[in-house]
Amino acid sequence: MPRPYRIIVLFLLPALTLALGWQLGMRFERTALEASRRQLDVLYGLQSGSGTVVNDPQKEVNIGLLWSVWRLLLAEYITPNDLQTTPMLYGAVRGMVNAVGDPYTSFMTPNENKDFHAGLSGDLQGIGAELSVRKGKIIVVSPIKGSPAEKAGLLPEDEITGVNGTAVEGQTLQDVVEKIRGKKGTSVTLTITRASSAEPVELTVVRADIHVPSTESEIKQTPQGTVGVLTVNQFGGDTLAEADKVLKDFAKKNPDGIILDLRFNGGGYLDGAVDLSSYFLKEGKVVTVEGRDGPPQVHSVSGHPLFPALPLVVLVNQGTASASEIVAGALQDHERATIIGMKTFGKGTVQEVLDLPGGSSLRVTIAHWLTPDGRNLGKEGVIPDIKIDRTPEDMDAKKDPQMDAAMTWLLEKKDVTEGASSSAQSSR
């Protein structure tokens, strides 16, 4: 009997320790036998004592060098009692995985794996920021809404160059995460560079418990009309149930338009992105996932939209990534929504999480995804139809020109629609 698994499409590596918790995935089925075989291949794909990988006869690799170094350390290192075999093993595996050169393929220790799975619920400890690697630099994708990182002033596209006064140049993402994470109530000082500042900026962040609400909602009533605002912070396990309740409540209030706010949404489960898109699209593709083998997997809408024609705006920014980019890209390709804000991060690959013995795991990139029109957003991101920035000064002043622009666009759309309707009735 097949049992369900879930492929996780990750946005970044240290989702575990920094209270990132943004995963993007899709449901699939594989027999228990196939799953077991695959993991056994990963773990035990060596001929006993030979040091030769035998999974692929065309790409046999002798790993005797690894065993030679291991044995030499055990035999020759000056203080053998200081050798800790488990950290040595994890270090060897992490080094091999990092050498792949893909920032989204990573090895997780048991503690990291545990934190990763805890992140699916949206409850974590840390500073509340999503990080990634770009051209060897540690880049902030986005601070989590309401997190210590956001309150301290950390912004998307900030480059972390130092932690507690020590430069991080040349260090891996995991190394930097190890320096940033810590117990709640303690503080960490980050040195960052940003495009808007000529000098490095230092920010001190107090670590805390992080709870990420999947959704938030608001009805904005103005003399010109009524607009429902649905903010989706992540695509987690409860997101769609929450969004369903909010959107059905919106339907009862008969709004003149809807704003779908995906800013600072780093992703989540793929099925959540498909389901949310289905509330606004009558038919068609949402996303196509292309792996190394087999035909592409096409994910289409459910065919039962709640708002198939109501004016819709999607807000995006540099912290919009993965699953949220799938939603924005699909609604843009189908010309169903107007996209307002700034260019999104651009993360278009799929990762699978494979559990390993002892509680560790391997996240490995297995596919990339395309929008309905075939765009690879990993290369270009979503380009907004109306480009409007929200500067740090705007945030400090509690101003939101992106939201203001969305409200203006929707209410002007309402006036045009009502005017056209009145003219049509007058001509009859």
Side-chain angles (χ1 to χ4, degrees):
M1 175 70 69
R3 58 175 176 155
Y5 286 76
R6 176 166 276 186
I7 291 178
I8 306 295
V9 180
L10 292 173
F11 173 50
L12 66 157
L13 299 181
L16 32 128
T17 54
L18 295 182
L20 314 180
W22 308 128
Q23 302 84 17
L24 169 61
M26 62 181 180
R27 298 183 181 277
F28 73 105
E29 290 189 349
R30 181 192 295 145
T31 65
L33 177 61
E34 289 172 333
S36 299
R37 178 190 57 76
R38 181 167 182 175
Q39 292 201 5
L40 287 172
D41 284 346
V42 171
L43 300 172
Y44 308 115
L46 303 175
Q47 286 182 340
S48 178
S50 72
T52 301
V53 177
V54 296
N55 292 333
D56 186 349
Q58 296 180 351
K59 297 181 180 180
E60 291 184 355
V61 177
N62 190 307
I63 62 172
L65 175 63
L66 175 63
W67 298 120
S68 296
V69 172
W70 181 277
R71 294 185 182 108
L72 285 171
L73 284 171
L74 296 179
E76 303 294 340
Y77 186 66
I78 186 170
T79 52
N81 291 336
D82 291 344
L83 296 177
Q84 301 180 48
T85 55
T86 297
M88 289 169 61
L89 174 62
Y90 290 162
V93 173
R94 194 187 297 280
M96 177 175 63
V97 174
N98 289 346
V100 172
D102 175 16
Y104 305 112
T105 293
S106 66
F107 169 75
M108 293 189 289
T109 66
N111 286 337
E112 292 169 341
N113 194 32
K114 180 180 178 181
D115 288 343
F116 166 77
H117 288 289
L120 295 175
S121 66
D123 292 296
L124 291 166
Q125 283 189 3
I127 66 169
E130 299 188 34
L131 308 183
S132 186
V133 176
R134 184 186 298 159
K135 296 181 180 179
K137 299 178 179 181
I138 308 299
I139 303 297
V140 176
V141 180
S142 69
I144 295 173
K145 188 173 183 180
S147 68
E150 183 188 51
K151 294 175 182 176
L154 203 64
L155 298 174
E157 300 298 321
D158 281 348
E159 178 193 346
I160 297 178
T161 59
V163 178
N164 290 330
T166 302
V168 299
E169 183 179 1
Q171 298 183 23
T172 67
L173 189 56
Q174 290 92 341
D175 291 336
V176 177
V177 167
E178 288 288 340
K179 291 177 172 58
I180 294 176
R181 70 180 179 181
K183 295 181 180 179
K184 68 176 181 179
T186 62
S187 63
V188 59
T189 299
L190 305 178
T191 304
I192 62 172
T193 60
R194 60 173 55 142
S196 61
S197 177
E199 298 294 328
V201 178
E202 285 199 349
L203 300 175
T204 298
V205 188
V206 179
R207 305 174 180 101
D209 289 320
I210 308 296
H211 174 69
V212 185
S214 288
T215 64
E216 299 171 88
S217 63
E218 179 184 3
I219 292 289
K220 290 182 176 290
Q221 294 181 325
T222 73
Q224 293 76 31
T226 300
V227 174
V229 180
L230 171 61
T231 301
V232 181
N233 296 315
Q234 66 171 336
F235 288 91
D238 299 327
T239 303
L240 262 296
E242 295 177 14
D244 181 79
K245 183 176 182 300
V246 169
L247 291 173
K248 287 180 178 176
D249 183 61
F250 283 177
K252 295 176 183 178
K253 294 179 171 58
N254 194 29
D256 298 299
I258 289 178
I259 296 173
L260 180 59
D261 189 351
L262 299 179
R263 293 174 295 179
F264 301 111
N265 182 324
Y269 290 123
L270 176 59
D271 50 8
V274 175
D275 290 343
L276 183 63
S277 302
S278 296
Y279 283 101
F280 305 103
L281 294 172
K282 294 180 181 179
E283 59 184 5
K285 295 187 294 186
V286 175
V287 64
T288 300
V289 178
E290 295 184 341
R292 60 184 285 176
D293 299 310
Q297 297 182 17
V298 176
H299 299 262
S300 300
V301 300
S302 65
H304 303 285
L306 188 61
F307 298 103
L310 191 69
L312 176 66
V313 167
V314 178
L315 292 179
V316 299
N317 66 3
Q318 301 92 326
T320 303
S322 293
S324 51
E325 289 180 290
I326 285 177
V327 174
L331 295 174
Q332 186 179 54
D333 281 3
H334 285 286
E335 299 182 353
R336 175 63 189 87
T338 296
I339 312 298
I340 294 178
M342 298 297 288
K343 177 184 174 181
T344 63
F345 182 80
K347 194 279 180 182
T349 56
V350 180
Q351 284 70 44
E352 182 176 6
V353 177
L354 297 173
D355 289 330
L356 303 174
S360 59
S361 67
L362 175 68
R363 292 180 286 180
V364 57
T365 298
I366 62 169
H368 64 263
W369 52 265
L370 307 173
T371 71
D373 284 352
R375 291 184 292 159
N376 184 341
L377 297 186
K379 298 179 179 178
E380 57 190 85
V382 176
I383 308 298
D385 302 306
I386 301 174
K387 182 180 178 180
I388 297 178
D389 197 4
R390 188 186 184 197
T391 66
E393 292 74 22
D394 291 329
M395 295 180 186
D396 290 341
K398 307 300 181 184
K399 295 180 180 179
D400 194 342
Q402 295 169 334
M403 181 66 73
D404 294 342
M407 289 290 295
T408 298
W409 188 92
L410 286 172
L411 295 176
E412 288 180 351
K413 182 81 170 178
K414 167 182 174 288
D415 292 340
V416 170
T417 302
E418 288 181 347
S421 176
S422 298
S423 298
Q425 291 179 2
S426 299
S427 64
R428 291 176 184 174

